[in-house]
Amino acid sequence: MLRQVARSVRPAVRNFASAAPSAGQNEFIANRQAVRAHAAETTDLWRKISFYVCIPGALVGAAWTYKLEAAHHEHIEHLKHENGGELPERPVYSYMNFRVKPFPWGMQTLFYNPEVNIPAGDAE
């Protein structure tokens, strides 16, 4: 019952903002369309920048890092080969690995690597 009353109250023709062309509304619509066109152009520009600049840049950076790390690994292996399979003894200076109190997980840093880093207890 309520639906029938509500339907009968509705106007027969729906009026949208673009249906009645007055001077103020045309400026608003033109401005809105200009904003949409600008947004589409800007979106396209950033999509092209992402695909043609950022992704190749990331790949080049990854390749450069891989080459650098491979050269570093080769150098470490060469040092091991020259010294009978182990890395040479590194100099221990008083300012290296200076700890006043231990970390919550122990004396080593979070990224400690026993093959490369000097243990914290040896630097005293």
Side-chain angles (χ1 to χ4, degrees):
M1 177 78 178
L2 185 61
R3 283 187 184 175
Q4 292 174 353
V5 172
R7 287 181 186 167
S8 64
V9 173
R10 286 188 203 166
V13 178
R14 298 183 68 167
N15 293 326
F16 294 104
S18 59
S22 67
Q25 289 179 345
N26 284 339
E27 289 177 20
F28 173 76
I29 292 169
N31 187 21
R32 185 170 57 183
Q33 290 172 347
V35 168
R36 284 184 182 169
H38 176 70
E41 291 170 1
T42 305
T43 302
D44 189 48
L45 171 70
W46 281 106
R47 182 179 296 119
K48 288 177 183 177
I49 288 173
S50 297
F51 287 141
Y52 300 124
V53 176
C54 296
I55 292 174
L59 293 175
V60 167
W64 179 74
T65 303
Y66 177 79
K67 180 182 172 191
L68 188 69
E69 289 298 321
H72 178 68
H73 181 71
E74 183 179 324
H75 177 69
I76 295 291
E77 291 301 318
H78 176 69
L79 285 176
K80 285 182 182 179
H81 179 70
E82 284 183 341
N83 293 301
E86 292 186 14
L87 286 173
E89 192 67 29
R90 295 177 67 179
V92 179
Y93 300 107
S94 61
Y95 60 84
M96 293 177 69
N97 294 320
F98 182 73
R99 305 276 191 276
V100 176
K101 66 178 191 173
F103 294 111
W105 52 86
M107 285 299 290
Q108 309 303 339
T109 64
L110 188 60
F111 301 105
Y112 176 73
N113 182 354
E115 294 181 11
V116 180
N117 302 116
I118 299 172
D122 296 345
E124 295 174 357

